Amino acid sequence: MVPGNYRITTKVMVSILFGLSAFILNFHAINFAQFVEFKASILLGLLFPLLISLAWGWKFGLLSALAGGCQSMWWLWRTDGYGVFYAVPVFTLWILWHGIWADYRKNKGPTVKWYHSMYVVELIFRIFSEAGFYTIFRWLVSFNPPPWNPDIIWNHVSYSWIHFVVIKHLVTAYILMLIAHVLLNIGPFRKFFMMPHKPGQKSTTFVVSAFLLLGIFLWIIDSVVVHYAFSQSTDSLLTAITSNISPRDLFVRNLFLLVCLVSGLLVSRFLAERHAANQKIRELNRDLELRVHQRTVQLEETNKELEDFVYSVSHDLRAPLRSISGFAEIINRRHKSFLNEEGQHYFDNIVKAGRQMGDLIDDLLKFSRLGRKAITSENVSLDDVFKTAIKTLSDEIQKTDGRINLPEQIPDIQGDVTLTTHIFINLLENALKYHQPNLPPVINVSFEMKNQDVVVSVADNGIGIAPEYHEKIFNIFQRLHSQEDYPGTGIGLASVKKAAHIMGGRVWVESEPGKGSVFKIRFLTATTAQTGKAGIRLNIDD
Ligand code: ADP
């Protein structure tokens, strides 16, 4: 950061220096185009106070204009006699006018409208200043000759001469503004003028400079072609390029340069707008990501609170329920004979409901404990997991006369051994439970590799599930059957889903009623898992 005082001193000095340079430069007018009856020259020095005005506003612009930038004309146009009192100050006003608008645009910032652009506000100035040439200037000239220069005897200006001057002013003003605009778009110039960095400054500088060079290149090419192919002059190539140029060629080459400058400005403006839009998108994305993160944290907290609640409720309900069930069973056993048949029936129901509620609470506790325990991420041998599961379910297998076919080899996965065992005990238990009446369950376990994951399938020949329930059955308490048909709590699959998610996996079902079901779980394979912590990966894409 440049300190404020130093900044102002620098600006004052540069403004004065620019003014003085401009003063000298104005004595070397540059021909823009030259015809027999028309010669348009540009007072290039005017560019200096204009640059100051556009970059730093009207105060510094005026200083630069008064320091010399717009004062050479007192000498240049002294032949106008009294006319200089209008012709010269009007240029200082021009610099002031653009400085005021530059300040206005700076203050307005992005809300600035197209009609605040210098090319548009210039028109207003032109109308008034040229009207002054038709009236005030002509009137002042009528007082000639002035006492300080009695040689000036002309005291009448023809309208045709004023028409010519007006056109010349218009053309030179726009050329000067265009050059200033181009320069103030180039990075190093902006830096010099301590102007703020524009969005996409690098590409703007690059494009504008490239088009400027293209204009110069076209100028040189045209000069070379004309010099070698069409010209009989004995000038050197350098002279043909820089000074001895025919009026027609001068006009054409300046046109090349102007078209290139305008194109450069337009392209760079388009790029800058695109850059700004991209920037905005990036900002919005960052904002969105942050909000998603905040929401996720909030959700996780709420989820945790809910799980804590479920855990403590089910935990606290267990003790009173146990005593209700226990005493009910004692009464049922010891004092059943005191009750009539109806009473015995009611008591049987109480005992049954007590047991059912006990199962429900146990399952709920297991479910909420799933996420509470520290989860490990290690190589888990599915072979061992299935052995444990089959051992745990040996009673059910025997009761249902079921068969479980395992593949010869199952790969290891990356995850938590307790959660994995929980998943397969639940899936195999369901496969054994939901078998077709009179058809012993046959369960086939298989696996397939998918990209870097392993998908394990547990397929049964059971009653199957209608497609509209394929997602719902993974919700807690979602059951499709009555207790009489198939006893259960509706928590098993919800806990399978939860366990799979904790390990960064996914579970789903493919099934049709009467045709069995295939439950599939996608795990990280042991060899490819990179993270040291389970549950880092939230979703696995198909
Ligand atoms: P529960 O078995 O205790 O009812 P689950 O969450 O394990 O609860 O299962 C939810 C529902 O999904 C079950 O009630 C059952 O209707 C259905 N289901 C689960 N596994 C199978 C299966 N292998 N075949 C058919 N239906 C199944």
Side-chain angles (χ1 to χ4, degrees):
M1 246 342 246
V2 187
N5 271 348
Y6 175 75
R7 254 179 117 106
I8 293 179
T9 319
T10 315
K11 283 183 179 177
V12 168
M13 274 165 51
V14 171
S15 303
I16 295 173
L17 245 146
F18 266 43
L20 291 175
S21 318
F23 183 83
I24 297 161
L25 205 68
N26 277 337
F27 286 100
H28 306 277
I30 297 203
N31 282 348
F32 166 68
Q34 191 172 358
F35 300 97
V36 182
E37 74 288 15
F38 182 91
K39 176 179 166 212
S41 55
I42 298 174
L43 293 174
L44 205 65
L46 281 173
L47 184 64
F48 286 68
L50 182 64
L51 277 171
I52 299 276
S53 225
L54 292 176
W56 296 336
W58 72 268
K59 286 180 198 148
F60 294 100
L62 185 64
L63 177 67
S64 187
L66 293 175
C70 299
Q71 309 311 316
S72 344
M73 293 78 146
W74 295 111
W75 281 266
L76 285 170
W77 298 331
R78 61 186 183 279
T79 46
D80 288 355
Y82 280 112
V84 289
F85 289 116
Y86 181 75
V88 179
V90 94
F91 279 90
T92 309
L93 287 178
W94 184 61
I95 298 294
L96 185 67
W97 175 255
H98 280 294
I100 291 169
W101 281 103
D103 281 340
Y104 178 82
R105 285 191 295 268
K106 202 156 113 190
N107 290 339
K108 273 265 168 179
T111 57
V112 71
K113 296 280 182 307
W114 64 269
Y115 46 81
H116 298 137
S117 117
M118 72 170 153
Y119 298 105
V120 179
V121 297
E122 168 67 16
L123 286 175
I124 303 168
F125 184 86
R126 270 305 122 211
I127 290 168
F128 285 101
S129 72
E130 301 315 323
F133 271 97
Y134 281 102
T135 53
I136 305 167
F137 181 75
R138 286 184 86 228
W139 174 69
L140 284 171
V141 166
S142 70
F143 294 108
N144 282 346
W148 62 88
N149 199 346
D151 298 345
I152 302 167
I153 41 148
W154 62 288
N155 59 5
H156 173 76
V157 189
S158 71
Y159 278 122
S160 62
W161 189 85
I162 304 262
H163 295 334
F164 162 71
V165 168
V166 165
I167 292 170
K168 183 182 137 165
H169 282 166
L170 193 78
V171 173
T172 50
Y174 273 96
I175 290 174
L176 285 171
M177 286 190 305
L178 186 68
I179 297 172
H181 192 173
V182 167
L183 293 179
L184 291 180
N185 262 293
I186 295 177
F189 278 86
R190 291 186 77 79
K191 214 167 177 182
F192 175 82
F193 284 110
M194 300 177 258
M195 288 168 87
H197 207 70
K198 272 188 163 187
Q201 183 65 67
K202 254 195 192 151
S203 57
T204 303
T205 305
F206 178 77
V207 168
V208 169
S209 311
F211 273 95
L212 201 67
L213 283 177
L214 180 68
I216 295 169
F217 179 69
L218 288 176
W219 179 300
I220 294 171
I221 292 285
D222 192 52
S223 309
V224 171
V225 171
V226 169
H227 182 69
Y228 287 116
F230 304 107
S231 164
Q232 267 95 51
S233 117
T234 51
D235 289 340
S236 71
L237 180 63
L238 193 68
T239 319
I241 292 173
T242 55
S243 46
N244 198 3
I245 309 167
S246 77
R248 201 200 122 270
D249 289 343
L250 186 69
F251 180 72
V252 170
R253 282 170 209 168
N254 272 312
L255 219 59
F256 282 158
L257 212 59
L258 284 184
V259 169
C260 284
L261 287 183
V262 173
S263 314
L265 279 179
L266 290 178
V267 172
S268 70
R269 197 194 164 109
F270 168 75
L271 286 178
E273 271 170 17
R274 220 176 57 168
H275 185 92
N278 280 343
Q279 186 81 17
K280 186 99 198 138
I281 291 173
R282 270 198 294 274
E283 272 166 26
L284 286 174
N285 262 342
R286 259 204 305 274
D287 197 45
L288 202 70
E289 264 171 32
L290 194 77
R291 283 206 332 238
V292 167
H293 177 73
Q294 283 168 347
R295 292 276 149 82
T296 313
V297 170
Q298 273 174 7
L299 258 170
E300 277 172 357
E301 274 172 14
T302 319
N303 227 354
K304 173 105 196 8
E305 276 169 22
L306 254 170
E307 276 180 4
D308 287 352
F309 175 74
V310 170
Y311 182 78
S312 56
V313 165
S314 38
H315 189 265
D316 293 354
L317 280 180
R318 208 151 65 150
L321 180 75
R322 270 209 186 130
S323 63
I324 294 172
S325 286
F327 284 116
E329 278 189 36
I330 292 171
I331 294 174
N332 205 19
R333 236 181 8 247
R334 292 193 197 159
H335 309 288
K336 207 173 173 183
S337 50
F338 294 111
L339 295 169
N340 62 14
E341 206 174 313
E342 196 184 10
Q344 285 182 11
H345 172 69
Y346 290 152
F347 236 96
D348 281 343
N349 278 353
I350 292 175
V351 171
K352 221 159 88 187
R355 276 192 206 133
Q356 203 179 320
M357 199 165 167
D359 288 347
L360 195 73
I361 287 178
D362 284 347
D363 279 0
L364 255 180
L365 266 176
K366 267 191 232 156
F367 179 79
S368 47
R369 268 195 202 121
L370 272 182
R372 300 169 76 87
K373 219 182 78 173
I375 309 298
T376 53
S377 178
E378 57 198 356
N379 276 13
V380 176
S381 153
L382 286 185
D383 226 28
D384 292 348
V385 166
F386 275 107
K387 273 182 196 147
T388 314
I390 289 169
K391 211 164 149 193
T392 314
L393 297 170
S394 56
D395 277 358
E396 275 90 339
I397 298 173
Q398 238 174 13
K399 253 190 256 165
T400 54
D401 196 18
R403 212 173 67 226
I404 298 176
N405 300 320
L406 295 179
E408 295 209 337
Q409 265 188 334
I410 316 183
D412 289 359
I413 58 138
Q414 183 81 14
D416 181 274
V417 67
T418 319
L419 292 181
T420 315
T421 314
H422 176 86
I423 289 175
F424 287 112
I425 288 181
N426 265 285
L427 291 182
L428 292 176
E429 193 178 16
N430 279 349
L432 290 167
K433 182 164 54 168
Y434 297 103
H435 69 90
Q436 312 233 28
N438 309 324
L439 187 63
V442 178
I443 303 160
N444 289 311
V445 176
S446 60
F447 75 91
E448 63 178 311
M449 301 304 293
K450 263 226 165 131
N451 299 329
Q452 296 181 331
D453 301 318
V454 55
V455 177
V456 182
S457 303
V458 178
D460 62 45
N461 58 342
I463 55 174
I465 304 158
E468 63 267 32
Y469 295 113
H470 285 186
E471 300 233 339
K472 284 188 190 152
I473 52 168
F474 292 99
N475 294 341
I476 196 159
F477 301 134
Q478 185 71 51
R479 306 209 62 235
L480 307 181
H481 308 280
S482 66
Q483 286 297 334
E484 281 68 38
D485 292 342
Y486 295 97
T489 56
I491 298 173
L493 286 182
S495 68
V496 166
K497 183 177 166 184
K498 187 174 173 184
H501 272 199
I502 291 172
M503 291 192 292
R506 193 164 96 77
V507 58
W508 68 102
V509 67
E510 290 164 8
S511 174
E512 263 182 66
K515 294 192 179 166
S517 314
V518 185
F519 282 85
K520 297 192 172 188
I521 316 104
R522 195 162 175 161
F523 292 103
L524 302 175
T525 45
T527 42
T528 55
Q530 313 261 308
T531 58
K533 234 173 114 190
I536 292 287
R537 220 169 63 162
L538 286 177
N539 281 309
I540 298 176
D541 302 324
D542 278 317

